[in-house]
Amino acid sequence: MQFVIGESDERIDWNFAQCTVQKNGEWNILFNLPESPKPGIAALRIAIAAAHKAALRVSVNDTVVSSRRFNTDNAMVRAGIHGQYSQWDLSFDAGLLKPGQNTITLEQQGGLSALRNVMYDYL
């Protein structure tokens, strides 16, 4: 999946749940920057509405910046009102961002099963 900031429509082009039912199940968020950011630390906040046996890896322009495993709450498949909300704040070198097109990649690596998933609240 590719979501292009300023072009894609989050109501149509973004699914709330990311499963690994196929290989290469990466989600890419593309965005443009008019110039390089100032040197320092950049931040990305990911709010997880629920997750089940998920392993999420986050990359910025093909450089892995963080990964995290999530506990079992099974909210997507069986217990929709019992998701375990969590917030994940990632810090990374702002030098990974460049003028022009940039890509943030979210890859759910928990296994090839719809039962292993991440449900997003916001990024």
Side-chain angles (χ1 to χ4, degrees):
M1 183 205 64
Q2 289 203 37
F3 187 89
V4 181
I5 302 295
E7 295 178 20
S8 298
D9 182 343
E10 63 275 357
R11 294 171 296 169
I12 299 168
D13 301 320
W14 184 269
N15 194 342
F16 67 93
Q18 182 179 14
C19 303
T20 51
V21 294
Q22 61 187 15
K23 290 185 178 182
N24 301 320
E26 297 178 347
W27 288 12
N28 294 303
I29 303 164
L30 287 74
F31 60 99
N32 287 305
L33 290 177
E35 57 189 42
S36 293
K38 294 179 182 179
I41 302 297
L44 173 64
R45 175 172 288 164
I46 301 176
I48 305 295
H52 184 76
K53 296 183 181 178
L56 188 61
R57 181 169 66 184
V58 180
S59 302
V60 175
N61 292 327
D62 296 320
T63 299
V64 176
V65 295
S66 193
S67 61
R68 182 175 173 186
R69 292 195 173 274
F70 294 90
N71 292 329
T72 302
D73 69 21
N74 211 13
M76 187 177 84
V77 178
R78 292 195 168 70
I81 62 171
H82 296 288
Q84 299 297 311
Y85 179 87
S86 64
Q87 187 171 284
W88 184 18
D89 293 328
L90 292 83
S91 299
F92 59 92
D93 181 359
L96 292 174
L97 300 170
K98 60 187 182 201
Q101 183 172 291
N102 290 271
T103 304
I104 294 174
T105 301
L106 306 172
E107 183 181 4
Q108 205 295 95
Q109 302 180 305
L112 300 175
S113 168
L115 298 177
R116 297 174 184 232
N117 58 75
V118 175
M119 288 174 47
Y120 296 100
D121 189 14
Y122 65 86
L123 281 79

